[in-house]
Amino acid sequence: MGRITEDLIRRNAEHNDCVIFSLEELSLHQQEIERLEHIDRWCRHLKILYLQNNLIGKIENVSKLKELEYLNLALNNIEKIENLEGCEELTKLDLTVNFIGELSSIKSLQHNIHLKELFLMGNPCADFDGYRQFVVATLHQLKWLDGKEIERSERIQALQDFPVIEQQIREQEEAYFLRRAKDKEEAQRRLQEEREEEPEEGRPGAGGRCSSSLENHEYLQAQGMQDGEQNKKKLADSEDDLGFWNKPSLFTPESRLETLRHVEKQRKDQERLREKKKKVKPPRTLITEDGKALNVNEPKLDFSLKDDEKRNQIILDLAVYRYMDTSLIDVDVQPTYVRVMVKGKPFQLVLPAEVKPDSSSAKRSQTTGHLVVCMPKVGWFAEW
């Protein structure tokens, strides 16, 4: 689950040269944030704050944002409007598709005298009979509700009917609170069941690894066993996944969190599978059983091999990355082949003639950064 950190804010403050104290606009949407924190201390001068499509369950820690004009908290898990009294310049508030059932909590917005636009569509309270009239009568400063302008005649009528509407809203709120209490109990029960059914970490054989000295046939045998275990696990996981998505579920804050936990678990399982596949790799064959060297270019580098007959030497020009540290390169010249390890990956080339390893030299080109290996041939004398 995401949290609001200084690093996260800086990464989203590139338009302000990553300076956060003077930020006027900040977008932290789709970050899986569960709690509103720190922003009122780190970004006091914010005017626009986007926090839509997260998992925020409560409006808090924004009261010191005195200059905030627009707050977008759409698609979160908020159930009550609160703690916005300190946002003195707030003119637009978007709470679309949350879980606000306590409609009377809009009374806390009466202190926000500059509030002109409010969005509550997609909340349980928006389905209450008399919802719009109640909001219009309660918030006299409001000009627009759910994208629709509030006419003067509409406000007059809402104020006249307010005593009756207020009673209706109170009764609907009480019925909603009872349903929510049952929903919470059900969510708690399901969570407990999931924890009890959760398998223990590490199934037998799941942690198997191949040592670097493993022979090819042993590797293939181990790989086959692991693939079988992974296929079984994948089948079981796909059945569990299908069961999860086909299972009836209420649209509640708890169900959103449950869905996120399920998706997060799938992602971690996939990462673990990928890590296991990375760990179990076949050993790279550089020399065959009968002692024959093979040509290998694992780092996928361009190269040229030149036979310098004038100086009676073979020259290898290997296009290693120009700015790579030389300490990451290791050269090994043998009579019949040359091997270069580049960041642990082998480049090996069979030579067209036998060379003298002790007289060979390797250096980086100052112009291209390439590795140049000069290898004198055996049995000949260089012409000078």
Side-chain angles (χ1 to χ4, degrees):
M1 304 293 183
R3 290 195 64 183
I4 297 175
T5 63
E6 187 175 339
D7 179 62
L8 176 65
I9 294 177
R10 286 193 190 281
R11 280 190 278 115
N12 287 275
E14 292 179 352
H15 59 285
N16 200 49
D17 297 324
C18 296
V19 177
I20 65 174
F21 75 89
S22 60
L23 265 180
E24 292 189 356
E25 182 175 329
L26 178 62
S27 180
L28 296 176
H29 62 284
Q30 292 183 311
Q31 298 289 335
E32 298 180 359
I33 296 166
E34 285 194 74
R35 189 180 175 213
L36 251 174
E37 53 188 345
H38 306 309
I39 292 177
D40 61 336
R41 291 189 292 111
W42 295 341
C43 311
R44 291 283 184 92
H45 300 289
L46 276 179
K47 292 184 178 180
I48 300 173
L49 178 56
Y50 297 102
L51 287 162
Q52 67 268 32
N53 207 357
N54 281 293
L55 298 161
I56 297 166
K58 183 178 180 180
I59 303 173
E60 57 185 337
N61 298 318
V62 290
S63 60
K64 294 178 183 176
L65 301 178
K66 304 294 182 184
E67 300 172 35
L68 189 65
E69 297 174 5
Y70 175 32
L71 176 60
N72 191 329
L73 282 164
L75 291 161
N76 275 282
N77 288 355
I78 294 164
E79 298 192 63
K80 181 180 179 180
I81 302 172
E82 58 187 334
N83 300 321
L84 289 170
E85 296 86 349
C87 301
E88 297 170 358
E89 297 298 320
L90 190 64
T91 59
K92 183 177 179 180
L93 176 62
D94 193 340
L95 293 165
T96 304
V97 190
N98 274 273
F99 298 91
I100 298 169
E102 190 175 341
L103 185 57
S104 57
S105 65
I106 65 164
K107 292 178 180 179
S108 65
L109 296 175
Q110 290 173 333
H111 302 280
N112 303 95
I113 58 173
H114 298 291
L115 185 65
K116 304 300 179 189
E117 291 185 70
L118 177 63
F119 291 86
L120 287 172
M121 64 182 76
N123 283 275
C125 65
D127 294 329
F128 290 176
D129 292 333
Y131 149 74
R132 185 174 175 88
Q133 297 96 309
F134 180 83
V135 176
V136 169
T138 303
L139 301 177
H140 300 170
Q141 76 276 33
L142 212 59
K143 301 296 182 185
W144 295 78
L145 176 60
D146 294 333
K148 183 180 177 181
E149 188 175 4
I150 300 169
E151 301 290 343
R152 184 170 178 271
S153 57
E154 182 183 9
R155 175 159 281 123
I156 293 171
Q157 186 64 52
L159 287 168
Q160 289 175 350
D161 298 338
F162 186 72
V164 176
I165 292 170
E166 186 178 29
Q167 180 59 33
Q168 289 178 349
I169 294 298
R170 190 179 296 116
E171 291 171 359
Q172 291 174 89
E173 278 185 343
E174 289 174 359
Y176 175 78
F177 292 152
L178 290 173
R179 291 197 302 273
R180 273 298 290 137
K182 290 180 181 178
D183 290 344
K184 288 179 181 178
E185 288 178 10
E186 176 65 16
Q188 191 63 35
R189 183 188 63 78
R190 289 174 64 171
L191 182 61
Q192 187 62 35
E193 286 179 357
E194 282 179 16
R195 287 174 177 168
E196 290 172 358
E197 292 172 4
E198 203 169 81
E200 293 183 6
E201 285 293 321
R203 296 182 179 181
R209 298 180 62 181
C210 278
S211 67
S212 58
S213 62
L214 198 62
E215 297 295 335
N216 282 337
H217 71 279
E218 292 175 336
Y219 161 78
L220 291 171
Q221 186 180 14
Q223 181 67 30
M225 291 173 65
Q226 189 178 58
D227 285 346
E229 289 167 359
Q230 287 181 358
N231 287 337
K232 287 179 183 176
K233 187 177 186 302
K234 195 178 288 185
L235 181 62
D237 287 347
S238 64
E239 289 175 354
D240 289 345
D241 184 51
L242 191 62
F244 176 84
W245 294 112
N246 287 336
K247 181 171 58 179
S249 176
L250 297 169
F251 184 60
T252 62
E254 294 77 20
S255 68
R256 282 196 77 205
L257 288 169
E258 183 185 12
T259 301
L260 184 71
R261 283 196 301 268
H262 179 77
V263 173
E264 184 71 9
K265 179 178 177 295
Q266 282 187 313
R267 185 184 65 78
K268 288 182 178 178
D269 287 345
Q270 289 296 323
E271 284 182 359
R272 278 196 289 266
L273 282 173
R274 282 195 292 268
E275 285 299 315
K276 285 177 182 176
K277 286 180 180 178
K278 285 180 184 177
K279 289 176 182 176
V280 185
K281 284 186 176 180
R284 170 63 69 177
T285 302
L286 300 175
I287 308 293
T288 62
E289 292 180 359
D290 57 2
K292 181 182 177 182
L294 300 177
N295 290 328
V296 176
N297 188 359
E298 194 169 301
K300 296 180 173 61
L301 298 172
D302 293 331
F303 69 93
S304 66
L305 192 67
K306 178 184 175 184
D307 193 343
D308 186 355
E309 293 183 356
K310 185 177 180 180
R311 291 182 173 81
N312 195 44
Q313 63 180 354
I314 296 173
I315 301 173
L316 170 65
D317 186 309
L318 187 61
V320 296
Y321 315 112
R322 184 168 188 171
Y323 298 106
M324 178 182 287
D325 195 318
T326 305
S327 65
L328 299 173
I329 304 170
D330 184 44
V331 182
D332 179 18
V333 178
Q334 295 295 327
T336 58
Y337 67 89
V338 57
R339 181 185 300 162
V340 182
M341 300 297 291
V342 182
K343 292 179 70 175
K345 295 182 177 181
F347 171 91
Q348 183 170 285
L349 194 62
V350 178
L351 302 173
E354 191 174 345
V355 299
K356 300 176 182 178
D358 294 341
S359 303
S360 300
S361 64
K363 62 180 181 179
R364 300 285 293 276
S365 168
Q366 293 184 351
T367 54
T368 64
H370 290 190
L371 177 71
V372 180
V373 185
C374 299
M375 299 165 281
K377 295 180 186 177
V378 171
W380 295 86
F381 296 96
E383 298 179 12
W384 300 96

